[in-house]
Amino acid sequence: MKGNGWRLTATFIAVLVIIPLVIVLVSLFNPEREIWQHLLEYVLPGLFGNTLKLVLGVAIGVTLLGVSLAWLTAVCEFPGRRFFSWALLLPLAVPAYVTAFVYVALLDFAGPLQTLLREFAGGPVVFPPIRSAGGVILVMVLALYPYVYLLARNAFLTQGKQALEVAQSLGYSRKSGFFKVALPLARPWIISGLMLALMETLADFGTVAVFNYDTFTTAIYKTWFGMFSLQGASQLASVLIVLVFALIVAEQMSRRGLRFTQAGRHTRMDRVVLSGYNAWLASGFAALVLLVAFIIPVMQLLSWSAKVFVQDFDARYVEFLWHSLLLGGLSAVLVVVTALLLTYAQRQHNDSWTVAMVRIATLGYAVPGAVLAVGIVIPLAWLDQQLIGTAKSWFGIDTGLILQGTLLVMLPAYLTRFLAVGYNPMDAAMQRITRNLEEASRSLGFSGLAMLRRVHLPMLRGGLLSAAALVFVDVMKEMPITLMTRPFGWDTLAVRIFEMTSEGEWERAALPAVALVLAGLLPIALLVKHSEKS
Amino acid sequence: MLKTLLVSTMVSLAATSVSAAEVVVYSARNEQLIKPLFDAYTKDTGVEVKFITDKEGALLQRLKAEGQNTPADMLITVDAGNLWEAAKEGLLKPVQSKTLNANVPAHLRDPGNQWFGLSVRARTIFYNNQKVKPADLSTYEDLGNAKWKGRLCLRTSKKVYNQSLVAMMIAEHGAAKTEQIVKSWVANLATDPFPDDTKMLEAIAAGQCDVGIANTYYYGRLMEKKAGLPLSVFWPNQKAGGVHVNVSGAGIVKYAKHEKEAVALLEWLSSPKAQNLFADVNMEYPVNPAVKADPAVAAWGSFKQNPVNLAKAGELQAEAVKLMDRAGYR
């Protein structure tokens, strides 16, 4: 394919993916003055503070946890390293809104821990409130650090030790080698993971709702559901989209001129062996994160599930599970293929137009799901109308809805939402492949798709698997789009969780939540198995 | 995989085409609280009920986008405000039915007959019976009294039940006075507002605060699980106004393809047989005055309802939301 072909491909994907976003953005041109007045005066000031606090807290938290754990499991040797290297990915399978309601239930005033403490002390006890900025940040960090962990680990596994050796040969100590060489080299991966975590944070509704913590998203929902103004809600969402776009562009600019490639990838790595105190500190740290982010929430879910199992569990769960897996699997394939095309287009034809198209195509992840769902339903309803009209006038038959309420709607919707999740790890992986290698293969007669198949794909395998696993799990956890676009009777585990949590029945939500976690373990296990081999 | 996709698509394609003996419902009432009704109806009449659940706002939006191509015949919500909004947006059509008029009291249905309440959700005061004497309690408004300083718990203002409560207060007192009342509540809060009624009731029982406002069925469910909690019901505003009630209710979609069947279902839902099922499933109160509440629910005592038409809850909801923002009620 020539340059123009790639450019067209990127443009086509971007246009397809951003139609829903444009529908949301169009609202900006017709502001609802009265509502904006109110929002500006009473809502937005506090909201900006809250959102900023949350984003900063999550950014710092996921980077610290993600990078340190990735470094420890990729480059160092300590007791339990093999176990932790895969186990630390497990929290990925637990939706943040689930971790949230588990911790609020456990740690709030009326929860078992504080009740026990009061009984023990025989009176009131001072306990930091879980329903606070700190509480939300903690839960979000626990739920989202795996994004950074997974991608940073990929980077360290392939270059960490080498980078360290080079640094040492240049006279750096091990510590400054990490900060001066290994860390900067891993930057694209770390930033990719961080971006995913932050976009997810900005778009989140479920988690902040459990804490009643007000962010941009809660204001969007309140304007829509409370004031019946979808227009006002879309305008708030547009501001969010613009903010994220600015963030992405700023990150892109800061990376300009840098190249992140690696030498060979087959060098066998010897790990830095931690000993004594340090070794146990590393094990303890990893164990603590795993305990808090995964084991405690899952234990609580299991104990709740046990209470409601007999009453709630029935044959329908097979269907919920099947639907979840099917949607996750199909979307993973679709997103990965699309993301691959985008990554490749950018690689082959790196002009500003293509780059812009790629950036635009990955904005959907930052938009709250329900708003995005509206942006998807509107154009599809229109398309259906055209199709129905055509069927009537050409064939004289009344078809009813054609596209809506079918998987043909759901999959593009997931694509819009999760393209960033697929794109980021693949882009990071692509940056690893040297131009020299490409030139060499070109001189051997490989170009275009042949180069993709023979040269790039094998080297992109890590990024590809990361992308597929992340999308698979994310789609299974997704609620608003699934709720709004699913066919009749087509319930999934996430839908079931929604029905229970929306009535405050957290115990009964535990059963589908456990099922969701179990289903999510499968792709994660595959992912880890692969990353260990490479 | 591809084959399954095709089959699934075909199935859902087939499902959207028009067939005779069925009704299609968009429901904001949860699956577990609505499916038993539909199952019973299908068993009685042979008419199949297909439904999808989602949040009200999303369902309204979907109805609007689908316009005259919508497969939906009936919209069910868990509050009157959203039904009012659906009617205002022209998504529903009026139904002239003697049965419905007889079964649903006038203040629980749309004056223009576009929607009908089907079960009553009473939002009342709950208190910790070890710390509060019922004689200390009187009205919703009184919860702003200084004697409740640091003793009041509330659910978040984002929930439609609180928005309706405040909207109905605006209808009664006017915006200025209502804002004062809401401000006085906020000043009395023992802790930040809770994400749901159940968590709030648990906080009252645990002693984090002493009084709060919740829907009765959350209390019923909680007491079923934890019978020993020191929680009691209080019926406020009995001398004037009455207890704030909301409804879970339904309307017929303007472009319904099975209008006759949908109206029949709606009428059936208001009939004594369905009313028992409908309300008992979730410990709510029947709308039909001829039907007695579930014994467990009746045990909480009888009360006078606020007789103001619930259409007000929709009409004033946006104003209520803004008012709560101004009052600092999160």
Side-chain angles (χ1 to χ4, degrees), chain A residues 212 214 222 316 486 503, chain B residues 30-31 53 158 221 325:
Chain A
N212 195 31
D214 291 346
K222 200 156 98 173
R316 287 184 307 161
R486 79 207 135 114
E503 282 291 301
Chain B
N30 280 170
E31 192 244 25
T53 56
K158 288 169 203 85
R221 283 190 216 154
D325 278 342

Side-chain angles (χ1 to χ4, degrees), chain A residues 243-270:
Chain A
L243 278 178
V244 171
F245 193 67
L247 196 72
I248 291 175
V249 169
E251 191 271 321
Q252 200 70 10
M253 303 271 271
S254 77
R255 240 202 266 176
R256 185 168 285 173
L258 297 180
R259 285 232 171 129
F260 300 88
T261 50
Q262 64 161 146
R265 61 191 276 280
H266 296 294
T267 39
R268 184 79 211 136
M269 192 162 70
D270 296 314

Side-chain angles (χ1 to χ4, degrees), chain A residues 318-331:
Chain A
V318 177
E319 206 173 281
F320 297 153
L321 182 68
W322 164 236
H323 288 160
S324 293
L325 292 172
L326 182 68
L327 288 178
L330 290 175
S331 318

Side-chain angles (χ1 to χ4, degrees), chain A residues 71 159-169 177 181-183 185:
Chain A
W71 181 257
Q159 49 92 326
K161 186 66 197 307
Q162 261 175 341
L164 212 56
E165 277 163 3
V166 171
Q168 274 165 338
S169 76
V181 182
L183 200 57
L185 274 178

Side-chain angles (χ1 to χ4, degrees), chain B residues 37 40-41 118 265-281 291:
Chain B
L37 269 296
Y41 187 67
L118 293 170
L265 172 60
L266 190 58
E267 287 176 339
W268 181 82
L269 286 171
S270 76
S271 73
K273 180 179 177 186
Q275 278 286 297
N276 271 322
L277 258 176
F278 200 94
D280 294 359
V281 153
V291 179

Side-chain angles (χ1 to χ4, degrees), chain A residues 135-332:
Chain A
V136 194
I137 291 172
L138 180 75
V139 163
M140 292 266 207
V141 168
L142 291 176
L144 300 177
Y145 85 84
Y147 286 117
V148 178
Y149 171 76
L150 177 66
L151 298 186
R153 193 175 129 80
N154 246 333
F156 291 144
L157 267 179
T158 44
Q159 49 92 326
K161 186 66 197 307
Q162 261 175 341
L164 212 56
E165 277 163 3
V166 171
Q168 274 165 338
S169 76
L170 292 171
Y172 286 117
S173 72
R174 198 186 282 168
K175 196 169 106 192
S176 59
F178 169 74
F179 284 107
K180 295 235 166 77
V181 182
L183 200 57
L185 274 178
R187 200 174 107 180
W189 285 261
I190 296 170
I191 300 270
S192 289
L194 182 61
M195 280 296 198
L196 290 178
L198 291 187
M199 284 163 111
E200 178 88 42
T201 305
L202 282 172
D204 169 84
F205 177 70
T207 315
V208 292
V210 171
F211 287 87
N212 195 31
Y213 185 81
D214 291 346
T215 63
F216 236 90
T217 319
T218 52
I220 291 170
Y221 276 65
K222 200 156 98 173
T223 309
W224 177 6
F225 294 157
M227 303 193 204
F228 300 129
S229 171
L230 180 62
Q231 182 81 0
S234 303
Q235 283 158 21
L236 281 171
S238 310
V239 175
L240 201 60
I241 297 175
V242 172
L243 278 178
V244 171
F245 193 67
L247 196 72
I248 291 175
V249 169
E251 191 271 321
Q252 200 70 10
M253 303 271 271
S254 77
R255 240 202 266 176
R256 185 168 285 173
L258 297 180
R259 285 232 171 129
F260 300 88
T261 50
Q262 64 161 146
R265 61 191 276 280
H266 296 294
T267 39
R268 184 79 211 136
M269 192 162 70
D270 296 314
R271 292 173 194 279
V272 177
V273 180
L274 301 179
S275 58
Y277 179 72
N278 280 337
W280 290 110
L281 205 63
S283 308
F285 175 52
L288 181 71
V289 174
L290 185 65
L291 183 75
V292 185
F294 187 75
I295 296 175
I296 291 178
V298 169
M299 294 310 275
Q300 179 64 69
L301 290 177
L302 283 172
S303 109
W304 278 337
S305 302
K307 275 192 220 160
V308 298
F309 187 82
V310 178
Q311 174 200 346
D312 274 15
F313 187 81
D314 52 39
R316 287 184 307 161
Y317 268 84
V318 177
E319 206 173 281
F320 297 153
L321 182 68
W322 164 236
H323 288 160
S324 293
L325 292 172
L326 182 68
L327 288 178
L330 290 175
S331 318

